[in-house]
Amino acid sequence: MWELRLAEAGRRCGPEHADAARVLILHAARADADALTRVYFQGTADERRAVLHALPHLVRGPEALPLVEDALRTNDTRLVAAALGPYGARHLDAHAWRHAVLKCLFTGVAVDLVADLARRARGDAELARMLGDHAAERTAAGRTVPEDLHRVLALTEAAPTQEAADPDVPHGKES
């Protein structure tokens, strides 16, 4: 029954409240990773976004990571942004996370929407290299370099903190 309510949320609550209503429905249903996966793959883009927003509250481990990875393969910038919320920040490995940040720059998703950006980018020399290559390619093609690229690049120059040096905390240097 809750899945029907999830599908009706846009009509019943209006587009400005539908996301919040869908996330609340998922919480009330105590949807597990299997249910979230089913809803994600059977749902509309709006329902998929709600699932991604609900992940950090409903799934503790990495079992829903395939949903984040799927969203990052889309060209729907709303899904890309939702995939880079707290769940993605916690569970994406360094390689996938770096490519997701580049996708944001490529597609115009504001890096302000990337959860835990400052901590994960801090001291990440590989991300800095990738950003430099991306900027050079854009410049060579006569295109502008997004201002967000410079912001993320500045974050990579910050010295790592003790938290980032902890091997149990993902910090962008795993690959």
Side-chain angles (χ1 to χ4, degrees):
M1 185 57 120
W2 64 266
E3 291 180 32
L4 178 61
R5 298 294 175 245
L6 193 72
E8 295 174 340
R11 290 189 307 277
R12 291 186 179 262
C13 303
E16 65 276 359
H17 302 294
D19 277 353
R22 287 184 184 104
V23 171
L24 288 172
I25 291 166
L26 291 168
H27 278 268
R30 295 188 181 122
D32 63 8
D34 290 337
L36 292 168
T37 298
R38 185 179 63 254
V39 168
Y40 179 88
F41 284 111
Q42 293 176 355
T44 65
D46 291 335
E47 292 161 1
R48 288 177 176 207
R49 191 173 62 248
V51 167
L52 293 166
H53 285 304
L55 287 177
H57 309 288
L58 296 172
V59 181
R60 287 185 139 335
E63 56 270 21
L65 194 54
L67 305 181
V68 171
E69 294 165 341
D70 180 77
L72 291 172
R73 286 189 297 270
T74 71
N75 289 321
D76 184 331
T77 56
R78 298 171 314 147
L79 288 178
V80 171
L84 289 169
Y87 187 85
R90 187 169 48 242
H91 295 290
L92 282 171
D93 67 25
H95 178 78
W97 183 83
R98 288 180 189 122
H99 283 276
V101 170
L102 278 177
K103 182 159 190 165
C104 287
L105 297 170
F106 222 65
T107 60
V109 172
V111 295
D112 290 340
L113 301 174
V114 178
D116 213 10
L117 176 67
R119 184 186 63 79
R120 291 216 52 183
R122 186 178 299 117
D124 189 337
E126 178 61 14
L127 179 59
R129 184 200 61 76
M130 292 169 72
L131 293 169
D133 290 350
H134 181 62
E137 288 173 15
R138 290 196 60 89
T139 301
R143 296 189 184 117
T144 60
V145 176
E147 190 58 39
D148 275 353
L149 184 141
H150 299 293
R151 289 184 49 228
V152 178
L153 190 57
L155 291 172
T156 66
E157 295 170 2
T161 64
Q162 181 60 34
E163 177 184 278
D166 184 344
D168 294 330
V169 178
H171 53 71
K173 293 191 175 194
E174 288 88 60
S175 63

